[in-house]
């Protein structure tokens, strides 16, 4: 991964992810909110706030499911093929930082 990606919900830009480092297996990106960010922000904040043991993954599922239901995609700046979140990639956003796992 290199360059920038757009996190999209249909035709709405949620934000830009600009790759700046790698921490295998994740790519570290700077996150800049787009016009659609406010509509989804709390869902990502709920996931970022999840800490501690989750032995049966029920707490994780409860915060990820609302994000999955958004139908988000990650689109490369060169307009390559979009990647479906939680099917082809995972994007975790905490403040101005995003972690992308392909």
């Amino acid at each position: 991964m290199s360059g920038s990606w757009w996190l999209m919900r249909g035709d709405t830009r949620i934000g830009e992810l600009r790759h700046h480092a790698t921490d295998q297996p994740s790519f570290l990106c700077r996150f800049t909110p787009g016009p659609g960010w406010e509509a989804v922000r709390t869902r990502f904040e709920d996931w970022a706030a999840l800490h501690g043991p989750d032995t049966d993954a029920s707490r994780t599922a409860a915060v990820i499911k609302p994000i999955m239901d958004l139908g988000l995609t990650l689109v490369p700046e060169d307009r390559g093929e979009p990647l479906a979140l939680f099917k082809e990639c995972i994007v975790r956003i905490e403040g101005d930082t995003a972690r992308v796992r392909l």
Side-chain angles (χ1 to χ4, degrees), residues 41-50 63 92:
R41 179 182 52 80
T42 58
R43 293 174 180 156
F44 282 94
E45 287 175 348
D46 290 347
W47 190 14
L50 184 66
V63 296
R92 189 162 185 168

Side-chain angles (χ1 to χ4, degrees), residues 63-79:
V63 296
I64 288 177
K65 175 86 168 84
I67 299 170
M68 292 175 74
D69 291 344
L70 295 170
L72 301 176
T73 57
L74 191 61
V75 180
E77 68 182 341
D78 65 4
R79 303 285 184 215

Side-chain angles (χ1 to χ4, degrees), residues 30-97:
R30 292 194 189 353
F31 176 72
T32 304
W37 175 243
E38 282 306 311
V40 303
R41 179 182 52 80
T42 58
R43 293 174 180 156
F44 282 94
E45 287 175 348
D46 290 347
W47 190 14
L50 184 66
H51 297 287
D54 187 13
T55 55
D56 67 355
S58 62
R59 292 184 322 125
T60 302
V63 296
I64 288 177
K65 175 86 168 84
I67 299 170
M68 292 175 74
D69 291 344
L70 295 170
L72 301 176
T73 57
L74 191 61
V75 180
E77 68 182 341
D78 65 4
R79 303 285 184 215
E81 284 295 312
L83 302 172
L85 260 67
F86 298 104
K87 292 180 183 175
E88 301 168 305
C89 65
I90 297 173
V91 174
R92 189 162 185 168
I93 299 169
E94 296 184 45
D96 64 355
T97 301

